[in-house]
Amino acid sequence: MSRRSVLATALAAGALLLTCLPSAATERPGDDGRPGDHERLTIGALSTRPDVVTGGDVLVRVGVPPSVDPADVRITRDGTDVTAAFTAAGSAPGTLTGLVTSLREGRNRLVATVPGRPGTRAALQVRDHPSTGPVISGPHERPFACGTRSFKLVDGSTPGPPLDEDCSIATRVDHAYRSTDGTVKPLADPASRPADLATTTTSTGARVPFLIRIETGTLNRGVYQISMLADPAAPEPTRARPSEGWNGRLMYTFGGGCRGGWYTQGSDTGGVLDTEMLGRGYAVASSSLNVFGNNCNDLLASETTMMVKEHFVERYGVPRFTIGWGCSGGSYQSYQTADNYPGLLDGIIVGCSFPDVTSATNTTLLDSRLLDHYFTATAPDGFSAGQQRAVAGFRERASIPNLSDGAKRLDPDAEFPAALPEDQRYDASANPDGARGTVFDHTVNVYGTDRRTGAALRPLDNAGVQYGLDALNEGAIDKKQFIDLNSRVGGIDRDAEYTAGRTKADVKATEAAYGTGRVLWGGAGLATTPVIDHRSYTDDLPGGDIHMSVHGFSTRARLIAANGHADNQVMLAEDNRHGFSLKSPALRYALTEMDAWLTSLTSLTSTAARTRWTARDVVAQKPAELTDACWTKDAEPRKVEQRLGYDNPGECGALYPAFPTPRLVAGAPLADDVIACRRKAVDPADYAVTFSGGELRQLRAAFPDGVCDWSRSGQGQRPLTDTWQSVGDGGGRAR
């Protein structure tokens, strides 16, 4: 077990035990097989952490002291000699590397010894899990609809029907190429060289034909893909013989969405055929369960990333570094994977970003749903369009109904993936035992269930929230409007039906949300992660949009609160003409600078003796020219270097101003990380207006338990005390 204390929280009836995975399982604390420990024999897992090995194999490194001839070392797996799998070729100096196969599910013991040298011995315990998972996310979700018949391969075909109930397919390799017209085309004959075949020069200077190798398979019930530049006429790339076109770096892409992202395998990945990434020489990996439109559960997404990356390392070798890349739902995954499971991603480039799906996003959606209901059904003539916008905070009033519709992810029967049969879907009257389509029920392994209804517990709350507080104090609405709004805005129940009373979070779910990283903290793995946060500005879209600039500043506020600074985060802004794509000059710049940043970090001589660089290293190695910046809206955009902030400073602030959410208008802190506020009595001194005695009585009746005290942390709010947590590998109750 970890040397740190084990976190164990009983979440609710049927909820699972949360534990922290060990950082190493060697007999000697600190033995991890890295070069630099010259005094003794060491052994450690290279492809993943020793307690989360999957698929029956693990890449292992043995560190050999200078006094020992590597040829004399013997390695066993549960007593069976596996020395033949190890070689010094391609390994770091003073090490042996080998893929140990035929692991049994459960615990396995690997031992390195030098016969005839008593005391020269090292052991490693690894725990193997099935390649179908689960490993850390708890019991598999049921029902689960396969997507293999609709998953499109590069030639337009599909993998066909699944091989088993876990939606598995046979692993396959396809080939494609980039045409001189800029498109990616299938390469039907790997031996051919099309007349329109392009060439590229990678970031390491290799000039190669733009031939793409795409591996497709299944891991953790998701369809994964790995692409890289590789000539099909050359031998298959391996750890010992990598492709000439691979620059030694890995991009891991995460797809967006959330609504309807449950009960399905999905039929797409975060994308592995970006020609800018591939043309620079990156290998690119992703899985259908790394698309939030298929799977809106960041824990399951992190687990899938872990398993796909393990496979990549075992097959192709350890990348110099891994960059996480994703927009919207992809930003959730990037931020939370980096913070909660440090080491999976070395740096992240995110766009249209949010801190997480649990706190700021769902809170904003709840508030928008309630305000939309109030403005249209409860008091349809009570507020002008301008006053509604002042209460909501959004730049565009249309964002209120837009985000109200987005709140369907909180509604158990509103949205399901098309692949899930209707007779398996929840309906309060017709099918109360059906699958519930909410982000909470999809994360039930973390939150637990309500004993009475069987629905997932919810970290969702608006008790004590004074909607329109800033609008009142600034004179945009009057006292009567403020009192009526807060007296009748109401809440939603577990079926997302409107209630006269406010919504109150379940205590156990709230504690779990903070304690397990479902609410982004920012002070764990993110403290030592280079971050570039890109914003394609959409606050001004006439129809409204959820991807508002304020959410990026909320993440920055969390980093500052957790670490005392956000010097490891760079923010970039531009208009929305390119979206989150490498057609954007800002994003091409971001990728170039992130590569330079991580190349510099991984060049530190001191990193050979530790598992991860320090926060000081991250800031010190950031390229000097990499600063906050925006690009103007001109036909040929001009780069403006300046601090970007929620206070909208300078030219960038004028071009791309940030606007608050309803919760921020109600007085919440910019970090927007309070699920359920602590409350205090109504105090007339808190308002810029003077309430009469009768008005105060009305206001206190609207808030019988008091109003939010934003000067205090939220109920159950605390830092993430441990990373690499697990809710179990499936031995508990499946939902």
Side-chain angles (χ1 to χ4, degrees):
M1 297 299 292
S2 169
R3 291 188 295 274
R4 303 183 70 178
S5 60
V6 172
L7 174 66
T9 305
L11 298 179
L16 300 179
L17 187 69
L18 287 137
T19 60
C20 297
L21 298 171
S23 59
T26 54
E27 289 193 331
R28 300 187 181 104
D31 282 1
D32 59 7
R34 293 193 306 274
D37 191 347
H38 299 295
E39 304 300 322
R40 59 189 180 182
L41 198 67
T42 62
I43 184 170
L46 266 182
S47 51
T48 190
R49 294 164 68 96
D51 211 45
V52 293
V53 171
T54 63
D57 53 18
V58 61
L59 189 63
V60 173
R61 181 162 56 192
V62 175
V64 184
S67 60
V68 172
D69 183 344
D72 292 337
V73 177
R74 294 291 177 268
I75 302 104
T76 61
R77 181 204 66 238
D78 294 322
T80 299
D81 193 296
V82 293
T83 309
F86 286 77
T87 178
S91 302
T95 66
L96 298 168
T97 304
L99 184 68
V100 179
T101 61
S102 301
L103 297 176
R104 62 189 178 197
E105 189 173 324
R107 302 200 180 278
N108 300 259
R109 186 175 178 77
L110 309 180
V111 179
T113 60
V114 180
R117 293 277 299 267
T120 307
R121 181 179 187 277
L124 175 71
Q125 182 171 269
V126 300
R127 186 180 179 197
D128 183 65
H129 305 75
S131 60
T132 54
V135 184
I136 60 174
S137 66
H140 277 325
E141 182 175 67
R142 304 288 184 187
F144 189 75
C146 298
T148 59
R149 290 183 176 90
S150 55
F151 189 97
K152 290 295 178 65
L153 300 166
V154 69
D155 63 357
S157 66
T158 75
L163 301 177
D164 54 35
E165 65 175 7
D166 289 315
C167 304
S168 303
I169 61 171
T171 302
R172 58 182 288 159
V173 172
D174 296 281
H175 297 276
Y177 72 100
R178 184 185 185 274
S179 168
T180 51
D181 67 12
T183 63
V184 173
K185 299 179 179 180
L187 187 65
D189 179 7
S192 72
R193 289 294 181 273
D196 60 341
L197 173 64
T199 58
T200 187
T201 301
T202 71
S203 64
T204 53
R207 184 73 175 170
V208 295
F210 213 126
L211 294 161
I212 308 167
R213 179 186 187 276
I214 309 152
E215 176 186 330
T216 305
T218 42
L219 289 167
N220 205 28
R221 300 200 304 176
V223 179
Y224 76 86
Q225 290 191 307
I226 297 169
S227 67
M228 63 175 61
L229 294 176
D231 189 334
E236 282 283 284
T238 64
R239 294 191 317 277
R241 188 182 54 248
S243 164
E244 181 185 3
W246 183 35
N247 67 6
R249 296 141 166 87
L250 175 63
M251 297 287 298
Y252 202 103
T253 64
F254 300 95
C258 182
R259 296 169 58 173
W262 27 78
Y263 304 112
T264 181
Q265 181 183 47
S267 58
D268 59 344
T269 71
V272 299
L273 292 177
D274 187 282
T275 55
E276 182 74 22
M277 295 178 184
L278 290 167
R280 296 188 188 201
Y282 293 99
V284 187
S286 190
S287 166
S288 62
L289 294 185
N290 289 122
V291 178
F292 250 33
N294 304 328
N295 160 48
C296 193
N297 177 334
D298 71 279
L299 175 58
L300 180 58
S302 294
E303 176 182 67
T304 303
T305 304
M306 174 189 75
M307 295 174 69
V308 173
K309 186 173 178 181
E310 176 193 5
H311 172 73
F312 179 92
V313 171
E314 291 168 354
R315 179 70 176 81
Y316 303 105
V318 180
R320 179 165 185 165
F321 51 75
T322 302
I323 299 174
W325 175 277
C327 170
S328 189
S331 73
Y332 296 135
Q333 298 174 72
S334 300
Y335 269 126
Q336 291 183 271
T337 297
D339 205 35
N340 300 333
Y341 298 91
L344 287 179
L345 304 174
D346 297 301
I348 61 174
I349 301 174
V350 296
C352 33
S353 70
F354 305 85
D356 58 70
V357 73
T358 305
S359 57
T361 312
N362 285 345
T363 295
T364 304
L365 295 174
L366 170 67
D367 293 343
S368 298
R369 170 65 64 90
L370 296 176
L371 290 177
D372 190 47
H373 180 271
Y374 174 83
F375 291 142
T376 59
T378 305
D381 301 316
F383 289 71
S384 69
Q387 289 176 322
Q388 292 178 33
R389 196 202 62 76
V391 169
F394 306 141
R395 176 167 178 157
E396 301 295 327
R397 187 217 163 269
S399 288
I400 302 173
N402 182 296
L403 271 68
S404 175
D405 186 67
K408 287 177 179 177
R409 72 180 65 173
L410 314 179
D411 188 336
D413 62 1
E415 290 184 323
F416 291 93
L420 187 69
E422 289 196 16
D423 62 3
Q424 296 183 30
R425 305 176 184 183
Y426 174 83
D427 181 278
S429 301
N431 191 18
D433 295 324
R436 294 173 57 87
T438 78
V439 68
F440 309 113
D441 291 278
H442 185 45
T443 317
V444 70
N445 289 344
V446 172
Y447 296 137
T449 58
D450 177 68
R451 293 180 183 275
R452 183 178 60 84
T453 66
L457 299 176
R458 301 182 303 175
L460 192 68
D461 194 286
N462 75 328
V465 175
Q466 298 187 83
Y467 290 107
L469 178 61
D470 286 351
L472 171 70
N473 287 334
E474 293 167 5
I477 63 174
D478 62 30
K479 294 183 291 183
K480 181 178 179 181
Q481 289 173 309
F482 178 73
I483 292 171
D484 188 73
L485 169 63
N486 284 288
S487 297
R488 299 200 289 163
V489 69
I492 60 172
D493 63 16
R494 296 193 196 281
D495 282 355
E497 297 293 336
Y498 174 78
T499 62
R502 300 288 186 105
T503 298
K504 293 186 177 181
D506 296 299
V507 173
K508 291 179 179 179
T510 302
E511 291 174 345
Y514 289 116
T516 69
R518 308 287 72 78
V519 172
L520 181 73
W521 177 42
L526 272 176
T528 54
T529 301
V531 177
I532 300 179
D533 191 308
H534 168 269
R535 181 67 55 177
S536 268
Y537 191 72
T538 60
D539 287 52
D540 57 355
L541 291 181
D545 189 70
I546 190 175
H547 305 102
M548 298 167 180
S549 296
V550 63
H551 296 299
F553 296 117
S554 293
T555 302
R556 175 166 283 187
R558 297 189 194 189
L559 291 173
I560 293 171
N563 306 311
H565 68 88
D567 295 341
N568 61 314
Q569 184 204 45
V570 174
M571 300 186 77
L572 309 175
E574 61 179 336
D575 61 28
N576 195 39
R577 73 184 80 177
H578 298 302
F580 189 72
S581 79
L582 282 166
K583 294 178 181 178
S584 155
L587 280 169
R588 290 196 300 273
Y589 165 78
L591 182 53
T592 298
E593 294 301 310
M594 179 61 76
D595 190 289
W597 197 351
L598 290 170
T599 298
S600 181
L601 274 169
T602 52
S603 296
L604 294 177
T605 56
S606 58
T607 56
R610 61 173 179 254
T611 57
R612 193 164 176 82
W613 46 75
T614 67
R616 181 175 297 179
D617 291 333
V618 172
V619 176
Q621 299 301 317
K622 181 169 65 174
E625 64 274 16
L626 180 57
T627 63
D628 280 13
C630 71
W631 278 254
T632 63
K633 299 179 180 180
D634 306 318
E636 294 294 330
R638 172 174 50 88
K639 182 184 177 186
V640 180
E641 294 185 356
Q642 66 154 90
R643 180 187 69 84
L644 304 185
Y646 180 58
D647 55 345
N648 298 326
E651 184 177 359
C652 294
L655 284 169
Y656 308 114
F659 293 83
T661 65
R663 198 63 60 107
L664 298 188
V665 174
L670 177 58
D672 211 3
D673 54 357
V674 175
I675 293 173
C677 66
R678 299 184 188 276
R679 297 192 283 276
K680 63 178 184 178
V682 171
D683 184 350
D686 291 340
Y687 307 94
V689 298
T690 301
F691 290 105
S692 68
E695 289 168 337
L696 279 174
R697 285 191 292 274
Q698 288 180 294
L699 194 57
R700 287 171 176 144
F703 297 103
D705 298 319
V707 297
C708 288
D709 182 356
W710 300 113
S711 68
R712 304 166 64 195
S713 61
Q715 298 178 38
Q717 187 173 5
R718 59 188 175 88
L720 183 69
T721 56
D722 286 291
T723 58
W724 280 90
Q725 293 187 34
S726 169
V727 297
D729 58 4
R733 172 190 52 81
R735 169 85 177 154

